Structure formats: C-alpha cells, structure tokens
Amino acid sequence: MRPAARPRRIGVLGCADIARRRMLPSMARQPLVRLAAVASRDAGRAAAFAAEFGCAAVTGYDALLARDDIDAVYLPLPPALHVRWSLRALEAGKHVLCEKPFAPDAVQARLAVDAARKHGLLLMESFMFLHHAQHAEVLRLLGSGAIGELRSVTAEFAIPRLASGALASTLPEVGAYPVRAAQLLAGSELAVLGAGSGETYGSALLATPQGVTVHLTHGLDHAYRNRYALWGSGGRISLDRAYSTPDDHVPVIHLERGGSREHLTLPPDSQFTNVIGAFARAVADGTGFERAAQDIMRQAELMDLVGAGAI
Ligand SMILES: NC(=O)c1ccc[n+]([C@@H]2O[C@H](COP(=O)([O-])OP(=O)(O)OC[C@H]3O[C@@H](n4cnc5c(N)ncnc54)[C@H](OP(=O)(O)O)[C@@H]3O)[C@@H](O)[C@H]2O)c1
C-alpha cells in the first residue's frame, strides 16, 4: 500500500471574508492539508486570524512567499490582484489555489498559466462548486441515459441587490458560475452565439458542435436563483443550490421522465473541504497540472466571448 502523503503546508494571502467564513474552517477538516501561516497587509489582522485558526501570523504577502515552511498558497485577494500575486507565488516556487474569477481576461490568464507551466507548479482556479458530489451524480445520470440524448442546458445564478446597495462586477463575480457550469454539463467545445447584458444582469446563448444549446443567466439585482437544468430526448434533470451550497444542505436532484417525477436525495457534502483536498492530492501526485491550466484558459476565453456578446 502507498504510504499516505504528508499534509501540504498552506499559506493564505489576505484575511478575506471568504477565507474566514468558509475556506479556513474547511481546511481544518481536510487531513491532506495543514494551515501553516496567514499573511495580511496589517499585522493586527494577521495576528487575529492566526489566533483564530492556530497558525503563524505574517505581515506582508512577500514575507509569506519567502517562507520555506509553505508548499502552496490559497489566494483569496480581490480579483484585480489574482494574476499579480499568483505570478509572485509561482516565482517563489509555491503551488497556487486562487479564488475565482482568476483573471480579467484571457491575455492576463495566459501570463500566469505560462508561468505555472514553466515552473512545473499547480495553478488552480477555486471553483468550489465543481467539487460537490451532487454534480458527479447528475453527470452519472446523464451518462447512463436517464434523460436520453442531451438537447439543451439552462444555468442560472442571480442574487438580490445587497442591503448596502454595493454592486460587485456582475459578469466576472456571478456570471462566472453559469459559464463554468456550462462546460461541466455540455463540454468545453462551446461557441457563443450571442449575449446581452444590463448593468446588473446578463444572459448568453452558447452551443456545442453537436447543436446542444446552453442558455446562461446571471444577475446581482434579481430574485434569488441558483440552479441548472438539463433537458434531453427522454426527460429532464434539474438541481437547485447548484453553485453556492452550504455544508449542511441536503441536495435533491429532480428527475422527470416517462411522465413521472423522482426526487433523488443525496447526503450533504462540503465543496470547500473537497476543493482543498483535490488541490492537495494533485500537488502530492504531481498530476492534473495541465488540466487545471487548460480549465483556467478555457474559462477566461469563454468569459471574454460572453462579455463581448460574440457571434
Ligand atoms: N468561491 C466562492 O464561493 C467565493 C465566495 C465569495 C467570494 N469569492 C472570491 O474570493 C475573493 C475574495 O472575496 P472576499 O469577498 O472574501 O474579499 P474580501 O473580504 O474583500 O477580502 C479580500 C482581502 O484581500 C486583501 N487585500 C489586498 N489588497 C487589497 C485591496 N487593495 N483592497 C481590498 N482588499 C485587499 C485584504 O486582506 P489583508 O488586508 O488582510 O491583506 C482583504 O481582506 C474574490 O475573488 C471573490 O470573488 C469566492
């Protein structure tokens, strides 16, 4: 039997909200990693985070990257800083798990992806939802012919306007999820047939070479919707809580076929614990680096095309 790999030692760049609420508690439950240090621009913030999560406190991101007790970094900085700090981390010899959206466009994404390839390091965009077991079950049903041949997909992620009135950048922050789901469900060979958007919302129509159509919608000033559906020649599958899925959520896959409706209940799962586990496993095995690089590039290219409303 292969001996268990030692836990990968993780450093965190920035005391981000998502790190505190979701990722660091999930890391504590993942035996494949050990949180070694957290860095902040502010010494007090780093110390408070480190005390809460039981790791070293570091002032300044470069100081963390210079440490030799770190194998990899989790990078939850604001999107505009993702490429710059990924490059710095890769140049310092660290593997990188970076929050989405990885880059503002494919040209920027290529800079970091090329650096990861050059240094032989893993660079992964942290789309947690992909690592929730509910999607593997949907793909298993689809592959087993449960709804016949796939004809169309819809994927929707939209949230109400924040009480503060603040708006994030709509397509990169929210539209990124349906664009990533489209590739999971319909494959990566997608052409963008058209797209439209307002300040806080947008939609796009994509198609595979076989003519499967994919309709994506996102928004930041909408009634809440967090789902996708697959419609085939013999039935339909739909899933709620597809992208943002709390650890205690009990997933239900709705399957309609032959005039009947089934509601398949799955056990809860933790997509945050799973994504950091998948990252650590890939680092330990030295596999999946090229796949992760291609995933980043394909997502960035599709986001560019959707943003341009390409035909
Ligand atoms: N995967 C998911 O489910 C999910 C959910 C929400 C957000 N996200 C993504 O996670 C990332 C972080 O989001 P968040 O809402 O957690 O961010 P946040 O709370 O604003 O934290 C970002 C951190 O970046 C650091 N930082 C460095 N330079 C900064 C600057 N110029 N302005 C502001 N902060 C700066 C700060 O840490 P220090 O001051 O300690 O250095 C700050 O705490 C984003 O890419 C977002 O899209 C992902």
Side-chain angles (χ1 to χ4, degrees):
M1 205 169 74
R2 210 166 55 125
R6 67 169 172 79
R8 300 296 125 171
R9 300 161 303 176
I10 308 288
V12 177
L13 296 189
C15 295
D17 175 62
I18 189 71
R20 182 160 193 274
R21 277 192 303 109
R22 302 298 307 272
M23 185 53 106
L24 298 198
S26 302
M27 272 188 203
R29 292 190 286 272
Q30 176 49 265
L32 297 177
V33 296
R34 183 172 66 75
L35 177 63
V38 59
S40 173
R41 298 165 299 170
D42 177 86
R45 248 194 322 272
F49 243 64
E52 185 173 348
F53 294 104
C55 63
V58 180
T59 307
Y61 305 153
D62 277 319
L64 185 140
L65 295 179
R67 290 175 72 113
D68 57 15
D69 62 348
I70 303 283
D71 303 306
V73 296
Y74 169 57
L75 208 153
L77 297 173
L81 301 177
H82 287 175
V83 170
R84 185 195 311 169
W85 282 101
S86 290
L87 280 168
R88 295 274 266 273
L90 293 165
E91 279 153 15
K94 314 297 186 199
H95 303 278
V96 177
L97 177 65
C98 183
E99 269 304 333
K100 44 59 54 182
F102 178 68
D105 56 45
V107 172
Q108 295 281 312
R110 168 83 55 203
L111 293 175
V113 162
D114 284 350
R117 285 176 172 143
K118 185 176 111 191
H119 294 292
L121 293 164
L122 176 60
L123 174 63
M124 186 188 279
E125 186 170 18
S126 192
F127 270 112
M128 283 74 169
F129 82 93
L130 296 173
H131 298 267
H132 195 294
Q134 61 188 353
H135 308 295
E137 181 58 17
V138 167
L139 292 176
R140 193 194 64 73
L141 286 167
L142 181 66
S144 72
I147 59 167
E149 271 184 44
L150 185 62
R151 301 282 186 245
S152 66
V153 175
T154 54
E156 295 148 345
F157 191 30
I159 58 179
R161 185 181 278 261
L162 295 173
S164 65
L167 285 172
S169 182
T170 316
L171 175 62
E173 291 281 339
V174 187
Y177 290 94
V179 169
R180 191 65 189 82
Q183 296 161 78
L184 175 74
L185 302 170
S188 58
E189 284 187 77
L190 288 163
V192 179
L193 304 182
S197 63
E199 191 201 351
T200 60
Y201 53 88
S203 278
L205 184 65
L206 290 72
T208 70
Q210 295 74 32
V212 175
T213 51
V214 183
H215 185 198
L216 310 178
T217 302
H218 64 270
L220 278 166
D221 192 8
H222 266 65
Y224 188 72
R225 203 156 165 95
N226 178 357
R227 74 177 340 222
Y228 61 67
L230 300 104
W231 195 349
S233 54
R236 193 178 159 89
I237 296 171
S238 60
L239 180 73
D240 277 311
R241 299 308 303 234
Y243 315 109
S244 161
T245 313
D247 288 358
D248 61 358
H249 173 68
V250 177
V252 182
I253 297 173
H254 304 281
L255 175 60
E256 298 167 40
R257 54 180 169 177
S260 76
R261 281 169 180 243
E262 295 167 58
H263 305 286
L264 311 171
T265 303
L266 304 179
D269 195 23
S270 170
Q271 57 197 36
F272 280 79
T273 308
N274 292 348
V275 73
I276 191 69
F279 175 76
R281 212 170 292 114
V283 168
D285 295 348
T287 56
F289 291 18
E290 183 51 30
R291 170 72 191 272
Q294 287 175 12
D295 284 350
I296 286 178
M297 286 313 305
R298 191 61 192 131
Q299 173 74 7
E301 286 160 1
L302 264 184
M303 292 287 287
D304 281 356
L305 291 171
V306 170
I311 303 259

